[in-house]
Amino acid sequence: MKTTMRRKNQALTEEECIAILQNGTSGVLATAGEDGDYPYAVPLSYVYWNSCLYFHCAGEGHKLEAIARNPRVSFCVVDQDQVVPDKYTTYFRSVIVFGKARILTEAEGKRIALEKLAERFSPEYPKGRKAEIDKLFNVVTMVEIQIEAMTGKEAKELRKIR
């Protein structure tokens, strides 16, 4: 896996990458295609917690089939994408994570991950979160991405501002 960047002067630090993952609410999961077929990429909501990414999904489908075939995935979060028409560029900032995905099968780990995800998106509703988790616990699937490497990059114009 190649994670070195050609334009190192635009690279984000690990701390900056983590901040983007902590603040983001959606990203794009990419999995390997079937038998060298097209790769599969799907946008989804996630939470960054305990140095891992977590997302929920149904108990079956293309995403889980791809992960079962090959757990190696990438996940991209775009923090900023400002088109600057007069300069013919964009002021962007993004992070790409590389890691292994696994379905959380143990009840305690699954519940904790669900609570972290629900807390991320509904921080003001602790009672509602618990009720929703209890109601859907047996039908929802939680997936953990154990991060093995990550890179972040931003436009040189943003780098100059900082």
Side-chain angles (χ1 to χ4, degrees):
M1 161 180 44
K2 183 178 178 181
T3 59
T4 56
M5 290 179 22
R6 186 172 54 87
R7 295 194 171 174
K8 293 179 184 4
N9 61 325
Q10 291 177 255
L12 298 175
T13 66
E14 182 177 355
E15 293 76 23
E16 291 168 325
C17 290
I18 289 170
I20 289 170
L21 295 176
Q22 288 172 329
N23 293 325
T25 57
S26 65
V28 178
L29 173 73
T31 63
E34 188 174 0
D35 298 327
D37 199 4
Y38 293 101
Y40 179 66
V42 61
L44 49 82
S45 300
Y46 75 95
V47 65
Y48 174 83
W49 176 70
N50 204 22
S51 300
C52 293
L53 297 174
Y54 297 88
F55 64 89
H56 75 295
C57 60
E60 59 183 45
H62 193 77
K63 200 173 19 245
L64 293 180
E65 291 169 7
I67 289 169
R69 278 191 311 273
N70 183 347
R72 293 179 301 170
V73 300
S74 66
F75 191 81
C76 178
V77 175
V78 177
D79 181 57
Q80 181 176 334
D81 183 28
Q82 176 189 352
V83 176
V84 186
D86 61 322
K87 304 239 189 244
Y88 303 97
T89 193
T90 60
Y91 293 171
F92 66 89
R93 184 178 299 115
S94 62
V95 172
I96 299 176
V97 166
F98 302 90
K100 289 198 176 123
R102 72 178 185 101
I103 296 169
L104 297 178
T105 55
E106 65 285 353
E108 183 180 356
K110 177 180 173 180
R111 182 168 295 277
I112 290 169
L114 264 170
E115 288 171 356
K116 293 297 180 183
L117 184 67
E119 182 181 335
R120 173 71 177 102
F121 290 94
S122 299
E124 297 88 20
Y125 303 101
K127 289 181 184 175
R129 290 193 314 255
K130 184 180 180 336
E132 190 73 6
I133 290 169
D134 290 344
K135 179 174 81 175
L136 298 173
F137 189 78
N138 291 324
V139 296
V140 71
T141 298
M142 286 301 294
V143 178
E144 173 188 79
I145 300 173
Q146 297 171 343
I147 298 171
E148 295 179 344
M150 79 179 134
T151 60
K153 185 177 177 183
E154 70 180 346
K156 60 187 175 209
E157 294 83 0
L158 294 177
R159 189 53 89 185
K160 288 177 188 175
I161 294 170
R162 292 196 292 136

